[in-house]
């Protein structure tokens, strides 16, 4: 065996170094390097980290005030029971059978001598809302004009705020269908809407009311509504 064959045989006998073997050899270097780096990082954090202090959360309690209780209320005794009313007793009355009523005849009471009927006092029904009989209700004749008055008299502040309401208004209508007087029968809850409703009510025009075939003045109630569209 020559030298070349011996050297080749010796190389074959020596085991080959793997990556795992190289990692194991470098373990100490990585371990101590990591320890040193961690020490430096912790030291820098403790040296340069701002100092933290706890916030003062203490509070002062107010002095307690004793409350004097009101004196004990004496409950009055219950009222006495009301006694039952006495049972009514029908009294006996003796009525004579001889009592008669004289007959009334036109001979004894001639028509010419009868007293005249009492004069009918003229009553001003326009003073206040009252019941007025009628068979034909007044009809509105100027609906478009009333609609324009509703838009014109609607208070701008309430309209812009979307606030509306209904005012029930009493109308006194004369024999020509004209509105002579208006009164608020039921308020809307807003004084400005009530005032606007009365201004609109004066614009209404009606046909005359009829009681059978006679034109009569009447009181009627109509709701006037303000609302945003």
């Amino acid at each position: 065996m020559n030298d070349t064959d011996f050297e080749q045989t010796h190389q074959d006998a020596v085991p080959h170094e793997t990556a795992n073997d190289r990692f194991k050899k470098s373990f100490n270097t990585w371990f101590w390097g990591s320890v040193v780096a961690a020490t430096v990082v912790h030291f820098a954090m403790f040296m340069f980290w701002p100092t933290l202090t706890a916030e003062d959360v203490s509070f002062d309690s107010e002095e307690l005030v004793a409350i004097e209780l009101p004196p004990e209320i004496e409950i009055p005794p219950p009222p006495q029971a009301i006694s039952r009313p006495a049972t009514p007793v029908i009294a006996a009355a003796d009525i004579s059978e001889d009592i008669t009523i004289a007959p009334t005849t036109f001979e004894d009471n001639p028509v010419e001598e009868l007293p005249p009927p009492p004069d009918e006092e003229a009553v001003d029904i326009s003073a206040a809302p009252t019941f007025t009989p009628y068979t034909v209700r007044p009809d509105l004749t100027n609906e478009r004009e009333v609609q324009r008055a509703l838009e014109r008299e609607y208070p701008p502040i309430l309209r812009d705020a979307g606030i509306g309401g209904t005012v029930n208004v009493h109308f006194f209508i004369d024999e020509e269908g004209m509105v002579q007087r208006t009164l608020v029968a039921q308020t809307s809850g807003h004084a400005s809407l009530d005032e606007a409703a009365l201004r609109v009510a004066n614009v209404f025009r009606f046909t005359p009311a009829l009681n059978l075939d006679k034109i009569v003045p009447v009181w009627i109630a109509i709701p006037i509504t303000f609302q945003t569209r």
Side-chain angles (χ1 to χ4, degrees), residues 6 12 28 31 34 44 56 61 65 76 89 93 100 117 134 142 147-148 162 168 201 205 217 219 224 228:
F6 178 79
D12 293 339
N28 290 335
F31 175 75
S34 300
D56 185 11
S61 61
V65 179
V89 178
T100 59
Y134 57 87
N142 59 338
Q147 187 63 37
R148 289 194 296 268
N168 202 15
R205 296 293 180 269
W219 279 96
I224 297 178
T228 57

Side-chain angles (χ1 to χ4, degrees), residues 106-161:
F106 285 107
E107 290 77 7
D108 298 333
N109 300 282
V111 178
E112 295 78 8
E113 297 180 3
L114 293 178
D119 295 333
E120 295 183 0
E121 297 181 359
V123 179
D124 184 12
I125 64 173
S126 65
T130 184
F131 172 74
T132 47
Y134 57 87
T135 56
V136 178
R137 181 184 177 87
D139 289 331
L140 182 64
T141 60
N142 59 338
E143 184 176 353
R144 291 186 179 180
E145 187 177 356
V146 170
Q147 187 63 37
R148 289 194 296 268
L150 280 170
E151 298 175 356
R152 181 178 65 252
E153 299 296 342
Y154 199 154
I157 296 178
L158 298 181
R159 181 183 58 214
D160 296 341

